Amino acid sequence: MMTSLNKSDTTNRSGEKGEAPPRRVRYLQKGGYWYYTTREGVDIGPFDSREDAEVGVGEFIEFIHASEPKVSDVLKQYRAA
């Protein structure tokens, strides 16, 4: 069984002005484990709980911000089928 929980995030990020663009945070549960889906369409996990997946999202965002732009290009090669 797969459960997908989508939540819109309409809060501004640091440095953003004006109305925040629509954003989706995607969490899904497969086989009793939790995953999150990146902007590039890659499912990252497994995590034992949704809370652990939420921590993972934050760590992933920090990693991407600190990485070279080509890292995002590599992730696109692993899009979920």
Side-chain angles (χ1 to χ4, degrees):
M1 178 179 155
M2 183 170 84
T3 304
S4 180
L5 300 174
N6 295 322
K7 176 177 76 170
S8 291
D9 181 4
T10 58
T11 58
N12 281 353
R13 293 180 180 161
S14 177
E16 287 184 333
K17 295 186 178 14
E19 189 174 332
R23 297 185 180 98
R24 295 243 198 246
V25 178
R26 295 178 180 93
Y27 298 96
L28 55 113
Q29 189 176 28
K30 294 189 275 188
Y33 292 101
W34 287 89
Y35 299 78
Y36 63 86
T37 302
T38 69
R39 175 185 300 181
E40 297 79 19
V42 178
D43 293 343
I44 305 283
F47 296 93
D48 290 327
S49 68
R50 179 180 168 131
E51 291 79 17
D52 289 345
E54 290 172 356
V55 170
V57 167
E59 292 172 350
F60 178 78
I61 291 169
E62 289 176 14
F63 169 76
I64 290 298
H65 283 194
S67 299
E68 298 287 326
K70 63 184 173 185
V71 171
S72 180
D73 294 336
V74 170
L75 285 174
K76 291 175 186 173
Q77 297 175 16
Y78 297 96
R79 286 184 190 259

